[in-house]
Amino acid sequence: QKEPLAYEVPNEETNQSLIKRHPPLRFRKLEENQVPISQEMINIKQAEAEKRRSAIMNERVKSARATSARSSRMRSSAKPNLQASGDSGIETHMEEIGADTEIIY
């Protein structure tokens, strides 16, 4: 005589993957430490982030304006005011070269 055969018919619970049945420890810890999130909390966080973002942009604008003002002051003090004197830049440059410099045309 032959021994009877038995088949195991999987149901939905046993059909799950091994990871879903026994999740890793780090996933279990994350699930335990979850904080409930609401739309109101998300809106508050977004408002705080927008305030920080605008403060950073304002600082950048202020820094850029200060740098621009500083460099324009340096440029204006280093160059003579050509428009007020009526000279062109080339003529002024030619005067700076001097008479002893040979110019090739």
Side-chain angles (χ1 to χ4, degrees):
Q1 287 191 352
K2 291 184 177 182
E3 296 203 20
L5 293 175
Y7 294 98
E8 185 177 331
V9 179
N11 60 14
E12 289 183 24
E13 291 177 12
T14 58
N15 198 16
Q16 290 180 347
S17 70
L18 181 64
I19 295 175
K20 286 184 180 179
R21 283 185 280 160
H22 306 285
L25 181 61
R26 63 178 177 218
F27 290 156
R28 284 183 271 163
K29 285 183 179 179
L30 286 174
E31 286 178 352
E32 292 170 3
N33 296 333
Q34 281 187 348
V35 177
I37 299 173
S38 68
Q39 185 64 39
E40 183 180 342
M41 290 174 64
I42 292 172
N43 292 341
I44 291 170
K45 294 284 185 181
Q46 284 181 333
E48 290 172 358
E50 186 60 36
K51 285 179 185 177
R52 284 192 304 271
R53 206 174 297 120
S54 64
I56 290 170
M57 288 304 293
N58 287 338
E59 287 296 319
R60 285 185 176 180
V61 167
K62 190 189 304 183
S63 174
R65 285 183 179 156
T67 303
S68 176
R70 195 176 329 125
S71 65
S72 68
R73 272 188 262 131
M74 292 173 73
R75 276 189 253 128
S76 65
S77 64
K79 293 182 181 179
N81 190 353
L82 300 176
Q83 292 176 348
S85 65
D87 293 336
S88 70
I90 296 172
E91 292 168 354
T92 306
H93 183 68
M94 295 299 283
E95 291 170 1
E96 291 175 2
I97 291 176
D100 58 337
T101 307
E102 184 179 335
I103 300 174
I104 302 172
Y105 294 99

